[in-house]
Amino acid sequence: MHNRFLFPHRYKMIGWFLLIPSTIIGLLSLLFDYNLFELKTTVFAVFEEAFFEPDKTFSFIQNDIFDEVIGATIVIGGLMAAFSKEKYEDEYIAQIRLESLLWATYINYGFLLFSILFIYGLGFYQIMVLNMFTLLFIFLVRFNFILYKTSRAIA
């Protein structure tokens, strides 16, 4: 089966290599409010802190980009791990992929709805940070679990 929207199979291992350490570092950083290293640099900002302040929109600012690097690495690694072809890609794998994505979307938005209704203040902000990544994580867990379960049933 040919699917032009998936990465080549070799990207899967690169994705896992990026995803696992960056997720651990990101969680430790979020939970303990500690950055492993500092990457203070000048970056272009569409806006910073407040909307439509003339001196804060479309300007260069000094910022520690540790969070941005970790977040981007989690997203890139997660996408590569989740959406790389399997060694033997067929219609059954495509169906598992589709169902896993549907499950992940339902669960992710269930978490989001629960958070909107019952979590407030700074806790809500932290949940929203985690919610950016949960769709990929839920997809990866379910997809790989079903593949593992299927391979065990066949063997």
Side-chain angles (χ1 to χ4, degrees):
M1 179 179 161
H2 178 69
N3 191 331
R4 61 185 169 157
F5 298 113
L6 295 175
F7 297 113
H9 177 67
R10 68 181 175 274
Y11 285 31
K12 185 176 283 295
M13 192 56 68
I14 297 168
W16 285 112
F17 182 74
L18 293 173
L19 179 64
I20 292 171
S22 59
T23 300
I24 292 168
I25 293 169
L27 283 173
L28 291 174
S29 174
L30 186 67
L31 294 174
F32 299 113
D33 197 28
Y34 174 75
N35 291 352
L36 190 59
F37 48 88
E38 189 173 307
L39 291 172
K40 200 153 198 80
T41 188
T42 302
V43 295
F44 178 74
V46 173
F47 66 89
E48 180 203 14
E49 307 250 345
F51 287 106
F52 307 117
E53 288 184 15
D55 58 335
K56 302 252 184 173
T57 58
F58 299 103
S59 61
F60 289 92
I61 62 167
Q62 282 284 82
N63 189 38
D64 181 10
I65 61 169
F66 175 81
D67 297 335
E68 287 81 1
V69 169
I70 293 299
T73 308
I74 290 171
V75 169
I76 292 167
L79 286 172
M80 291 171 78
F83 301 112
S84 293
K85 291 179 183 175
E86 292 299 310
K87 196 166 191 163
Y88 302 105
E89 190 79 22
D90 60 8
E91 288 80 12
Y92 180 67
I93 300 290
Q95 183 66 29
I96 294 171
R97 194 180 299 279
L98 181 63
E99 289 174 5
S100 297
L101 191 56
L102 186 64
W103 269 66
T105 303
Y106 285 153
I107 292 170
N108 186 61
Y109 280 99
F111 286 155
L112 179 60
L113 184 59
F114 179 84
S115 301
I116 289 169
L117 296 174
F118 299 112
I119 299 176
Y120 302 96
L122 189 57
F124 182 75
Y125 170 74
Q126 290 176 326
I127 293 295
M128 288 301 98
V129 169
L130 293 172
N131 192 259
M132 290 188 296
F133 308 109
T134 53
L135 185 69
L136 273 172
F137 288 129
I138 295 166
F139 170 81
L140 282 165
V141 167
R142 185 177 190 281
F143 179 69
N144 287 299
F145 175 73
I146 297 296
L147 285 181
Y148 172 77
K149 200 167 78 169
T150 303
S151 70
R152 297 277 306 198
I154 291 171

